[in-house]
Amino acid sequence: MKKNMKLRKEISEKVRELFLTEHENKLKFEKGKGIIPYAGRVYDEREIMSLVDSCLDFWLTSGRYAEEFEKGFSRFMNVIHCLLTNSGSSANLLALTAFTSPKLGERRLKPGDEVITVAAGFPTTVNPIVQNRLIPVFVDVELGTYNIKVEELEKALSNKTKAIMIAHTLGNPFDLSFIMDFAKENDLYVIEDCCDAVGSKYDGKIVGSFGDAATVSFYPAHHITMGEGGAVLTNNELIYKALKSLRDWGRDCYCKPGINNTCGRRFKGQFGTLPHGYDHKYVYSHIGYNLKITDMQAAIGVEQLKKLPEFIKTRKENFKRLYEGLKKFEEFLVLPTATEKSDPSWFAFPISVRENNKFNRKEIIEFLENKKIMTRQLFAGNIIRQPAYKDIDYRAIGELSNTDFVMNNTFFIGVYPGIDNERIDYILGVFEDFFKKL
């Protein structure tokens, strides 16, 4: 055992040496030459050392690192349960599907029930609604916050409405006071998509801890990364059991990988019309999937989680510097507005081009891209105008005029921790150059 520990330590030191000789140089910046991404990985030798350590175990599914991460992340997010999955998109699918579970009895979501959401966002917030044969009800968004217009919620309500599933747009919390009160008054489930909002707070409380369930993503663009990966969070024991079943093939058994007979009744139960005593490891109570994460991914996440508070701090600082530097151009640009009572952990810096006769969005983003500053549009724009959604069943509340404005005029640039002061200065200088040419 001592020999093995010594070998592991030697391997770890070699990995550290490799990082210092090969990876550090990738982080250097030359004005106008290197691209400034809208998002990206921020890491050091510790993530790679942790990854290699997990590889040496050769435990190829979820294991000790996954368990360590789930415990640490649930503490950070102030929730009881954290369930790792293979992506944020899978997390969204699992989260909504859990509310269709027969375990919920009469409160389960059924085909034809309605879920309130927005069309200005990322497809995988909406896709689980469609995939579960539920009806998305699209509400318009506010300009500046880019979150749901809560004053439209009453119009969206019908006797079929059963849930609200929306994202905290680009890290900016939606109006949780209003949403949670509205949900309580109308007996609705709330699912918070926090994939862009890890560390954001509303009224002093971290987002993801308000609703019946919440989701996060660990894709390289997000606040912390495992390469791929995501998680579902909940304080509801029944929902957690449904989530775990759905993630793990739909099985009724809750044993950890490689473990047998945790319940002590593996060959003693009666399930459906199966023979009495049918092996509990092969009893299925949900139509599920295999959406687990590997321990190698979780090993990276364990080290990323230690850096998360500093990542959040840097995102806020970068956002503040960009806001202060771009404020002089508000005649032409709609700058982002934090929701009242919120403290966002910004995913990005959204900008909308006001109607004017000097330039449009296409012209400014082409200028920025030519100067190596990466831009992105606000995801799907208006999702019901996307080709994949032309035949879905949905309801829209009003004309979604702000959503169309976002589709035509909004884009975002990065605030992620890999953007340092030198890069911020460069970005602001490029904006100055653009407006000088008008």
Side-chain angles (χ1 to χ4, degrees):
M1 179 64 78
K2 287 184 179 178
K3 185 178 179 181
N4 287 346
M5 291 300 293
K6 184 181 177 184
L7 269 174
R8 279 184 179 253
K9 189 173 181 181
E10 288 175 4
I11 291 167
S12 189
E13 283 302 313
K14 288 295 182 184
V15 170
R16 181 176 180 277
E17 184 181 326
L18 181 69
F19 171 84
L20 295 174
T21 56
E22 288 195 7
H23 286 260
E24 272 197 323
N25 289 333
K26 295 178 182 178
L27 306 177
K28 292 180 180 176
F29 174 64
E30 292 183 64
K31 289 183 180 181
K33 293 185 179 180
I35 291 173
I36 301 179
Y38 76 93
R41 307 164 300 165
V42 177
Y43 63 97
D44 58 27
E45 70 275 15
R46 284 165 287 191
E47 279 84 351
I48 304 173
M49 290 161 68
S50 186
L51 173 60
V52 171
D53 185 60
S54 71
C55 289
L56 296 175
D57 292 341
F58 207 64
W59 187 259
L60 301 181
T61 185
S62 297
R64 63 185 176 99
Y65 277 107
E67 189 172 338
E68 181 180 350
F69 183 88
E70 286 176 338
K71 287 179 180 176
F73 195 63
S74 62
R75 282 194 299 270
F76 180 86
M77 296 295 288
N78 195 29
V79 294
I80 297 171
H81 298 294
C82 169
L83 188 76
L84 277 170
T85 186
N86 61 352
S87 72
S89 301
S90 293
N92 278 347
L93 177 61
L94 286 170
L96 186 63
T97 306
F99 291 93
T100 71
S101 171
K103 292 182 181 293
L104 296 176
E106 287 302 308
R107 284 210 69 205
R108 68 183 291 200
L109 302 184
K110 301 181 183 71
D113 286 343
E114 295 181 346
V115 180
I116 295 172
T117 189
V118 297
F122 200 74
T124 56
T125 311
V126 174
N127 292 351
I129 304 171
V130 177
Q131 289 160 334
N132 278 286
R133 294 183 294 156
L134 305 165
I135 309 298
V137 179
F138 295 111
V139 177
D140 210 356
V141 295
E142 301 173 330
L143 297 181
T145 70
Y146 305 101
N147 280 315
I148 191 167
K149 292 178 75 172
V150 293
E151 61 269 26
E152 299 284 301
L153 283 172
E154 201 66 47
K155 298 176 187 175
L157 192 66
S158 80
N159 59 6
K160 293 182 179 180
T161 310
K162 296 298 190 309
I164 301 171
M165 184 171 181
I166 45 179
H168 300 288
T169 306
L170 299 180
N172 194 12
F174 53 77
D175 188 340
L176 278 153
S177 293
F178 195 105
I179 293 286
M180 296 309 299
D181 286 347
F182 182 81
K184 186 176 180 180
E185 287 168 11
N186 296 286
D187 197 25
L188 308 178
Y189 294 119
V190 175
I191 301 168
E192 298 177 69
D193 182 337
C194 302
C195 290
D196 292 344
V198 173
S200 293
K201 292 183 177 180
Y202 181 89
D203 201 17
K205 184 180 175 183
I206 197 159
V207 303
S209 62
F210 288 81
D212 297 283
T215 60
V216 296
S217 172
F218 304 125
Y219 190 70
H222 288 101
H223 286 62
I224 56 174
T225 187
M226 299 180 181
E228 300 287 351
V232 190
L233 307 158
T234 186
N235 289 316
N236 185 310
E237 190 69 31
L238 198 60
I239 292 298
Y240 175 70
K241 288 179 179 177
L243 287 166
K244 200 167 189 307
S245 174
L246 286 159
R247 186 198 66 174
D248 298 357
W249 304 282
R251 67 180 186 171
D252 198 66
C253 173
Y254 50 84
C255 290
K256 294 178 182 178
I259 303 296
N260 295 324
N261 208 22
T262 303
C263 64
R265 296 176 55 81
R266 182 178 171 191
F267 300 106
K268 297 179 181 178
Q270 179 65 60
F271 303 97
T273 57
L274 290 167
H276 183 270
Y278 199 82
D279 188 349
H280 192 220
K281 288 185 75 68
Y282 292 97
V283 172
Y284 302 94
S285 52
H286 295 89
I287 297 173
Y289 315 89
N290 177 9
L291 299 177
K292 294 191 299 298
I293 200 168
T294 69
D295 223 39
M296 292 170 282
Q297 292 167 277
I300 298 167
V302 165
E303 293 302 322
Q304 286 273 290
L305 186 54
K306 296 172 186 175
K307 297 178 170 71
L308 182 53
E310 190 61 31
F311 286 169
I312 293 168
K313 179 172 176 279
T314 304
R315 284 178 176 275
K316 292 178 180 180
E317 290 170 351
N318 286 347
F319 182 93
K320 183 180 179 184
R321 284 209 63 206
L322 285 173
Y323 188 92
E324 290 171 350
L326 295 176
K327 193 167 177 58
K328 66 182 77 170
F329 307 122
E330 282 191 295
E331 177 187 352
F332 298 104
L333 305 177
V334 179
L335 299 185
T337 306
T339 305
E340 189 178 351
K341 297 199 292 185
S342 77
D343 179 17
S345 171
W346 292 96
F347 172 73
F349 192 97
I351 299 168
S352 292
V353 177
R354 299 183 191 274
E355 298 291 344
N356 70 88
N357 59 9
K358 294 182 180 292
F359 71 98
N360 57 30
R361 179 179 65 185
K362 182 174 182 290
E363 290 168 311
I364 191 169
I365 64 173
E366 282 182 350
F367 188 86
L368 293 168
E369 294 275 352
N370 287 335
K371 297 293 185 178
K372 309 294 186 184
I373 299 168
M374 193 180 286
T375 67
R376 289 291 186 271
Q377 296 181 16
L378 189 47
F379 307 128
N382 183 343
I383 203 166
I384 59 178
R385 298 187 184 277
Q386 293 276 353
Y389 300 84
K390 64 184 178 68
D391 294 324
I392 69 166
D393 290 329
Y394 70 88
R395 284 201 299 121
I397 306 306
E399 296 181 355
L400 305 183
S401 55
N402 285 351
T403 301
D404 279 341
F405 180 88
V406 165
M407 177 182 65
N408 290 310
N409 299 287
T410 303
F411 68 99
F412 63 80
I413 57 176
V415 297
Y416 85 106
I419 300 177
D420 56 15
N421 285 335
E422 186 180 11
R423 289 173 172 85
I424 294 284
D425 289 340
Y426 175 75
I427 292 169
L428 293 175
V430 170
F431 272 93
E432 290 272 4
D433 291 343
F434 176 81
F435 285 101
K436 282 177 185 174
K437 294 178 182 293
L438 294 183

